[in-house]
Amino acid sequence: MISLAKLTDIPELLMVTKACATAMINQGIYQWNENYPSKQAFESDIERDELYILEEDNEIIGSIVLSTLMDEEYVPIDWLTPSDRNIYIHRLAVHPGFQGKGYAQNMMTFAENYARENNFVSVRLDTFSQNKRNQRFYEARGFQRLGDIFFPKQSEHPFHCYELVL
């Protein structure tokens, strides 16, 4: 079940994202680390009613942020649509013990349906250039890769920006 997160969900969410970070690092993918995603980021997401959790048997196994805020790093990207009615996806996570079972697909379908139902023109996101699995995942859903941005505190490698026009 996908629902809005509450502040009391943050400790369990951090366990999920830390498990994801560890799994990625073990594969040589330095996308997330001990500083990101952070408790503060999740608190801000919850304050804006943008953080959703995925639960299975009353256990949080995933998360996704659906934001209307465009990060300043995204400004130089030549997006496919005007930047006024877009949803931005951040911090999509599925606990490694539950990956490969369609949960990320379900959360993305939820996000895309949310965007359509609320009259957004596109869904935008970024994914780490070293995470080929994520790139294939988004491209298979119809997202188009448009350009690169950098988050120096996370990695020296770029993050690819993607957009799905609805």
Side-chain angles (χ1 to χ4, degrees):
M1 178 176 88
I2 299 173
S3 60
L4 275 172
K6 304 177 296 297
L7 287 173
T8 54
D9 295 327
I10 291 177
E12 201 172 346
L13 275 169
L14 288 171
M15 290 188 339
V16 170
T17 56
K18 284 185 189 331
C20 290
T22 299
M24 285 188 283
I25 290 167
N26 289 340
Q27 297 171 35
I29 301 169
Y30 297 90
Q31 178 174 343
W32 288 358
N33 55 40
E34 66 278 357
N35 301 315
Y36 184 88
S38 68
K39 177 183 177 195
Q40 292 77 21
F42 285 140
E43 287 171 345
S44 295
D45 297 336
I46 290 170
E47 283 176 24
R48 292 189 305 268
D49 287 330
E50 295 179 343
L51 177 59
Y52 292 83
I53 55 170
L54 172 65
E55 291 180 284
E56 183 75 27
D57 296 326
N58 294 318
E59 176 184 356
I60 295 174
I61 63 166
S63 65
I64 189 170
V65 173
L66 307 180
S67 179
T68 56
L69 302 176
M70 182 170 138
D71 293 341
E72 71 177 55
E73 289 86 357
Y74 287 173
V75 170
I77 299 299
D78 187 16
W79 297 103
L80 301 171
T81 62
S83 296
D84 59 353
R85 293 289 306 151
N86 319 93
I87 284 286
Y88 297 87
I89 293 180
H90 299 293
R91 294 179 278 292
L92 173 63
V94 174
H95 189 285
F98 293 88
Q99 290 179 3
K101 299 177 181 179
Y103 290 115
Q105 294 281 3
N106 292 347
M107 286 193 289
M108 287 301 298
T109 298
F110 172 82
E112 292 164 16
N113 287 341
Y114 176 93
R116 283 184 190 95
E117 290 164 9
N118 289 280
N119 300 312
F120 290 97
V121 297
S122 75
V123 179
R124 296 174 176 178
L125 54 86
D126 66 77
T127 195
F128 191 44
S129 61
Q130 306 302 297
N131 193 333
K132 303 301 182 196
R133 180 180 179 195
N134 277 9
Q135 292 168 46
R136 288 190 300 272
F137 174 78
Y138 295 123
E139 289 166 8
R141 293 190 69 86
F143 281 79
Q144 294 181 55
R145 182 175 155 196
L146 301 174
D148 291 343
I149 58 174
F150 289 86
F151 296 104
K153 292 180 182 172
Q154 283 178 254
S155 175
E156 62 187 33
H157 298 287
F159 286 71
H160 301 322
C161 290
Y162 285 85
E163 185 170 21
L164 175 68
V165 178
L166 302 173

